[in-house]
Amino acid sequence: MSDPTDRSEPVSDPTDRSDAPPGESWFILGVDLDGVCGDHTEAFRRVVSAERAIDPDTLVDQTTWNFHEWGLDDDGFLDMHRRAVLEHRMFRDMPVIEGCADALWRLSDAGVWIRLITHRLYANWGHAVAVGDTVAWLDASGIPYRDLCFLGNKPQVEAHAYVDDAPHNVAALRAEGNDVIVFDQPYNRSLDGPRARHWNDVEALVLELMVSRGVAVQSPFPGLDDARSRLDRATAPRRADGETVT
């Protein structure tokens, strides 16, 4: 895991494989968390409805980045989000977007180096809670990754391609010449594709990019369990005699 407190140096050139397993070539994929891996809108809806003591269904669908349709101005959003993270522990309990973990496991098996990138430390409060709850959520959700970067300037991580939902992030990444897959959300419909509406779409688009760049797509060994099953088995509770607890 990358040190979340060290933002002084960008990640090294993705063509440098010195930190990768010997003899293997990797395609580095930068993956956003909120709105891509985790359902941030649903998690925040629960918090806002609890704070206001209202039915969550009374909050209209999100169509703007900072939830203005819920009556929040920029300062109100920051205050509500602070309570969401520190009091409601939103990053620990956020729903996982369907298909995310399994698709990322398959991509990892295919030779994709998964670099998670999030701007969850954008405000000067609650960093320990935000980082700890993020890692706990990733473990509980079974989402695989090789790097976890907490930073706002995403072009600094120098991945081969990115998956993001935020219009400003997509624009900044593309301005630097990066390949970006837009993960479909109501607030980013004005952006050009390629666009993924589901994680199966992400998987297909990433494999296409790998082939177009001449990166070999690795195949799992015959008879080997899928990576998600291997992780579940490896992390399952065990008795004193070493047998898995069922």
Side-chain angles (χ1 to χ4, degrees):
M1 183 179 72
S2 302
D3 181 358
T5 63
D6 181 9
R7 305 188 188 97
S8 59
E9 295 292 335
V11 177
S12 59
D13 185 341
T15 60
D16 179 1
R17 308 292 188 221
S18 58
D19 61 344
E24 293 189 283
S25 178
W26 294 86
F27 180 94
I28 300 177
L29 180 66
V31 182
D32 182 41
L33 288 183
D34 297 326
V36 175
C37 295
D39 192 341
H40 180 274
T41 299
E42 178 58 28
F44 197 52
R45 180 190 300 275
R46 295 173 184 176
V47 171
V48 173
S49 62
E51 286 285 325
R52 295 177 176 175
I54 60 174
D55 185 338
D57 292 338
T58 62
L59 294 171
V60 300
D61 292 340
Q62 182 192 7
T63 57
T64 62
W65 177 248
N66 279 344
F67 297 89
H68 292 160
E69 59 271 44
W70 293 358
L72 294 170
D73 58 19
D74 290 345
D75 289 339
F77 168 76
L78 288 173
D79 180 64
M80 185 70 75
H81 206 272
R82 178 188 61 80
R83 296 202 297 274
V85 173
L86 297 182
E87 298 173 21
H88 296 265
R89 307 300 288 272
M90 182 177 74
F91 291 157
R92 183 183 60 191
D93 301 323
M94 185 176 294
V96 180
I97 290 180
E98 184 179 359
C100 170
D102 289 336
L104 285 174
W105 276 115
R106 290 191 296 269
L107 287 171
S108 180
D109 271 353
V112 175
W113 185 286
I114 298 166
R115 179 165 288 161
L116 301 181
I117 315 161
T118 180
H119 196 21
R120 286 181 169 183
L121 304 185
Y122 65 90
N124 293 322
W125 39 254
H127 288 183
V129 171
V131 172
D133 283 356
T134 296
V135 173
W137 176 79
L138 289 168
D139 287 350
S141 304
I143 293 173
Y145 61 97
R146 292 181 177 273
D147 302 314
L148 175 56
C149 307
F150 292 83
L151 78 171
N153 189 4
K154 295 192 176 185
Q156 287 184 348
V157 305
E158 297 181 349
H160 291 106
Y162 298 81
V163 187
D164 211 304
D165 66 311
H168 57 281
N169 286 336
V170 174
L173 287 164
R174 287 179 172 170
E176 297 287 335
N178 294 290
D179 288 318
V180 186
I181 298 168
V182 179
F183 197 86
D184 186 62
Q185 295 290 355
Y187 44 79
N188 64 29
R189 299 274 165 79
S190 63
L191 297 174
D192 293 334
R195 177 175 297 271
R197 289 179 169 80
H198 308 282
W199 265 96
N200 284 343
D201 298 337
V202 175
E203 184 178 1
L205 289 166
V206 171
L207 293 176
E208 288 177 10
L209 282 169
M210 292 174 71
V211 171
S212 70
R213 291 184 175 219
V215 179
V217 177
Q218 301 171 20
S219 299
F221 290 109
L224 189 66
D225 290 342
D226 65 272
R228 177 68 178 272
S229 298
R230 298 198 301 272
L231 175 70
D232 291 343
R233 187 168 60 252
T235 58
R238 295 181 181 275
R239 302 197 306 254
D241 59 8
E243 291 296 318
T244 302
V245 177
T246 58

